């Protein structure tokens, strides 16, 4: 039995629309964020704007935790990549073709609205007290800033992420004629299979596990090709 067989046509159509809006060419890096509410709010924002990957760099006093009431299930649909080395994370993203930019209140930082929409971007946000670390700033390709016009020249990290992703994804959607999604066909199909599995209620009781193992996804792809 395929997970899709247990879903309504409306639910399957919703999954297809969501995947059509997914992007892996825009991502967020959180460096040693302390508050689980901020972790969760960022995941929720990323999911809402179609950003599939979020990178979380943990520290001794900043383990990754989610607040379920804040995340509202977003952690179920977004891929969280955990690390303990921010420079290694930045170098890996650069190796994958990302331009990595640190969020920084600095006169030399590029305003958010001047960032290019057509290239792979990774935005690094630091923790609530000190921001992005000097080591991370040195490893990045540059920095950006969310323009502000009031007396208070700072935003909560989750709000800064929300403003940044909203601006960038909406402009990408406008350029693409409706949706910011840019996944290759094979990746989109795999994500549809994953989401279909995760959308099944009581999937642990039916399939014996809560998350789809790689062998199940390979089996589903094989059945689809045979069909």
């Amino acid at each position: 039995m395929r997970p899709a067989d247990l879903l309504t046509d409306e639910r399957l159509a919703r999954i297809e629309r969501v995947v059509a809006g997914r992007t892996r060419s825009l991502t967020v890096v959180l460096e040693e964020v302390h508050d689980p509410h901020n972790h969760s709010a960022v995941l929720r924002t990323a999911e809402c704007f179609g950003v599939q990957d979020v990178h979380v760099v943990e520290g001794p006093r900043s383990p990754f935790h989610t607040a379920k009431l804040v995340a509202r299930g977003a952690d179920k649909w977004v891929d969280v990549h955990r690390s303990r080395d921010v420079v290694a994370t930045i170098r890996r993203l650069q190796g994958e073709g990302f331009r990595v930019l640190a969020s920084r209140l600095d006169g030399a930082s590029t305003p958010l609205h001047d960032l290019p929409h057509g290239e792979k971007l990774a935005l690094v946000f630091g923790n609530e007290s000190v921001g992005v670390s000097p080591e991370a700033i040195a490893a990045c390709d540059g920095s950006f800033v969310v323009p502000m016009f009031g007396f208070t020249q700072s935003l909560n990290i989750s709000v800064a992420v929300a403003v940044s992703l909203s601006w960038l994804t909406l402009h990408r959607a406008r350029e693409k004629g409706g949706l910011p999604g840019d996944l290759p066909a094979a990746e989109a199909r795999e994500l549809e299979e994953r989401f279909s599995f995760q959308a099944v209620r009581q999937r642990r009781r039916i399939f014996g596990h809560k998350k789809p193992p790689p062998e199940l996804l390979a089996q589903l792809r094989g059945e689809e090709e045979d069909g």
Side-chain angles (χ1 to χ4, degrees), residues 154-166:
S154 66
L155 293 170
N156 172 275
I157 179 175
S158 66
V159 175
V161 173
V163 170
S164 301
L165 294 186
S166 174

Side-chain angles (χ1 to χ4, degrees), residues 10-220:
E10 291 78 9
R11 186 61 165 163
L12 291 171
R14 175 72 180 278
I15 290 172
E16 187 175 342
R17 286 196 300 273
V18 167
V19 172
R22 278 299 201 254
T23 179
R24 281 198 163 110
S25 62
L26 176 63
T27 190
V28 169
V29 179
L30 303 180
E31 184 189 12
E32 298 195 25
V33 170
H34 302 309
D35 191 341
H37 286 75
N38 284 331
H39 278 145
S40 302
V42 169
L43 295 185
R44 185 172 173 180
T45 294
E47 204 285 317
C48 284
F49 287 110
V51 174
Q52 185 60 34
D53 298 296
V54 173
H55 301 265
V56 176
V57 179
E58 301 173 274
R61 295 183 299 277
S62 54
F64 173 68
H65 291 300
T66 57
K68 297 298 183 183
L69 292 179
V70 178
R72 298 298 294 270
D75 51 329
K76 173 179 173 180
W77 308 109
V78 172
D79 292 327
V80 178
H81 307 270
R82 299 166 66 172
S83 164
R84 288 190 171 272
D85 188 329
V86 67
V87 173
T89 297
I90 291 170
R91 295 300 185 216
R92 179 168 53 78
L93 288 168
Q94 289 168 331
E96 295 172 3
F98 282 89
R99 181 181 179 194
V100 185
L101 302 175
S103 174
R104 190 181 185 197
L105 293 171
D106 182 86
S109 296
T110 302
L112 174 67
H113 54 261
D114 286 337
L115 294 183
H117 306 139
E119 66 180 84
K120 296 174 73 173
L121 287 177
L123 307 181
V124 182
F125 296 85
N127 68 38
E128 297 86 344
S129 55
V130 299
V132 182
S133 68
E135 295 80 9
I137 291 171
C140 285
D141 300 301
S143 59
F144 77 101
V145 63
V146 177
M148 288 169 276
F149 309 101
F151 290 110
T152 307
Q153 290 292 295
S154 66
L155 293 170
N156 172 275
I157 179 175
S158 66
V159 175
V161 173
V163 170
S164 301
L165 294 186
S166 174
W167 174 269
L168 292 169
T169 57
L170 291 177
H171 277 73
R172 288 179 177 213
R174 181 183 300 172
E175 292 175 354
K176 291 176 176 290
L179 291 170
D182 55 12
L183 297 184
E187 278 190 46
R189 186 166 61 252
E190 180 175 349
L191 203 57
E192 285 181 11
E193 291 165 353
R194 280 177 48 194
F195 287 175
S196 295
F197 181 91
Q198 290 167 238
V200 174
R201 295 182 184 275
Q202 298 187 36
R203 55 191 175 278
R204 186 191 296 276
R205 181 174 64 82
I206 297 170
F207 297 104
H209 38 256
K210 190 173 182 179
K211 294 184 179 181
E215 57 269 20
L216 175 61
L217 293 177
Q219 176 187 345
L220 294 176

